[in-house]
Amino acid sequence: MPTFAGADDTRLHYDDVLPGEGDGGWWPVIALAGGAARHPGYLGDLAGLGDRHRLIVPQLRGVGNSPMPASTETGSYWRQAEDVERLRIHLGLERVALLGHSAGTRLALAYAAQFPGRVARLALITPPAGYLVDEPSDADELTGRRRGEPVFEAALAALKAGPADTDDEEAFNAWHQQAAPASYAAWGAAEQDHAGTGRWSLAAAKAYFSVDPPCDFAARLGGVTAPVLVVAGAEDCLTGLAPVLALAKLFPAGRAVVIERCGHYPWVEQPAAFREAVDAFLEGL
């Protein structure tokens, strides 16, 4: 597995997935996993996106083979933007195409805010947005439509209760599994298989949120002139829909795509619609 030197020169690991010979474009896409601090294996090949583009998938601080930093703050999403910049330099890229999912969009946005001139494309998949926009969340409304589904009700109760032990990694991972059905618009075989992939690192998750971003974070995003795509799940009960759509409006060249019958994982739940949106966005890189 290849490595690069992070901001403090720690060796950080990443996966480098090359398309098959003669397949599609070779522009690298750096894919940032969410969780926070979930092993990026849950991203899979993003519904075959790796068949068309070279996928660079970092294992963030404290996740997988990448060690926890000596300083907790170095593991914050705001500070890990410096690691992404080191990765760009390591790859020899003038600019980067970034794709972030869920909490990984926080890191993608932190990078864009700090290095706006280095962004060629920015794709934000089901991002939490309430910390950046004033649009009231409609998550309760979306949740209300699912009332009466026993599996969903149990998952929602677990989600609201939180982990049984906030200092125990096994309890933390067990809680995520209990709450998983609330993340999807349906709980079929594909969703159940996917929910079991990608372990969370509790220490890394705590470090991820250890530094508050600057108060002008949202304003800085107005300086990101590269094209920005926000992908929303029409039934994403974790993020809601309205704040996610509002996020796209922070960018001069931002636009949003809503995927119907979809929750928090569009490449799993609606792979064809996900690829249609992302392929069109990345075309021409």
Side-chain angles (χ1 to χ4, degrees), residues 127-203:
Y131 70 108
L132 289 170
V133 301
D134 294 328
E135 185 71 27
S137 176
D138 54 354
D140 287 344
E141 178 184 343
L142 298 180
T143 298
R145 300 175 189 172
R146 302 282 302 278
R147 291 294 186 182
E149 300 177 24
V151 173
F152 177 80
E153 292 277 12
L156 186 64
L159 186 65
K160 292 182 176 180
D165 186 339
T166 57
D167 293 319
D168 182 82
E169 185 158 307
E170 292 304 322
F172 187 62
N173 275 272
W175 168 66
H176 275 292
Q177 292 303 314
Q178 293 164 1
S183 305
Y184 303 87
W187 189 237
E191 289 80 7
Q192 293 175 44
D193 286 345
H194 178 257
T197 62
R199 183 177 175 84
W200 283 260
S201 167
L202 178 57

Side-chain angles (χ1 to χ4, degrees), residues 41-265:
Y42 84 94
L43 294 175
D45 65 354
L46 290 168
L49 189 66
D51 293 337
R52 186 167 184 177
H53 293 272
R54 179 185 177 191
L55 289 183
I56 306 295
V57 187
Q59 296 186 358
L60 303 182
R61 299 271 183 162
V63 176
N65 292 309
S66 293
M68 281 292 295
S71 168
T72 300
E73 291 75 13
T74 304
S76 68
Y77 69 84
W78 186 258
R79 293 280 296 277
Q80 286 195 72
E82 300 173 26
D83 293 334
V84 177
E85 174 63 0
R86 287 288 194 98
L87 179 57
R88 177 194 69 79
I89 295 169
H90 169 79
L91 295 170
L93 299 173
E94 181 70 20
R95 294 182 300 154
V96 295
L98 280 179
L99 182 150
H101 170 247
S102 190
T105 65
R106 290 179 180 261
L107 174 52
L109 289 167
Y111 180 83
Q114 295 175 62
F115 304 96
R118 295 301 184 183
V119 178
R121 294 283 195 282
L122 180 62
L124 307 171
I125 313 303
T126 58
Y131 70 108
L132 289 170
V133 301
D134 294 328
E135 185 71 27
S137 176
D138 54 354
D140 287 344
E141 178 184 343
L142 298 180
T143 298
R145 300 175 189 172
R146 302 282 302 278
R147 291 294 186 182
E149 300 177 24
V151 173
F152 177 80
E153 292 277 12
L156 186 64
L159 186 65
K160 292 182 176 180
D165 186 339
T166 57
D167 293 319
D168 182 82
E169 185 158 307
E170 292 304 322
F172 187 62
N173 275 272
W175 168 66
H176 275 292
Q177 292 303 314
Q178 293 164 1
S183 305
Y184 303 87
W187 189 237
E191 289 80 7
Q192 293 175 44
D193 286 345
H194 178 257
T197 62
R199 183 177 175 84
W200 283 260
S201 167
L202 178 57
K206 290 181 177 181
Y208 200 72
F209 297 102
S210 63
V211 172
D212 291 330
C215 59
D216 65 344
F217 190 3
R220 289 194 194 190
L221 298 178
V224 179
T225 58
V228 177
L229 174 68
V230 177
V231 177
E235 300 176 42
D236 190 342
C237 294
L238 297 188
T239 65
L241 181 58
V244 178
L245 298 181
L247 179 63
K249 298 177 182 178
L250 295 182
F251 304 95
R255 66 182 182 91
V257 171
V258 179
I259 299 182
E260 299 297 329
R261 300 181 303 280
C262 184
H264 202 56
Y265 300 96

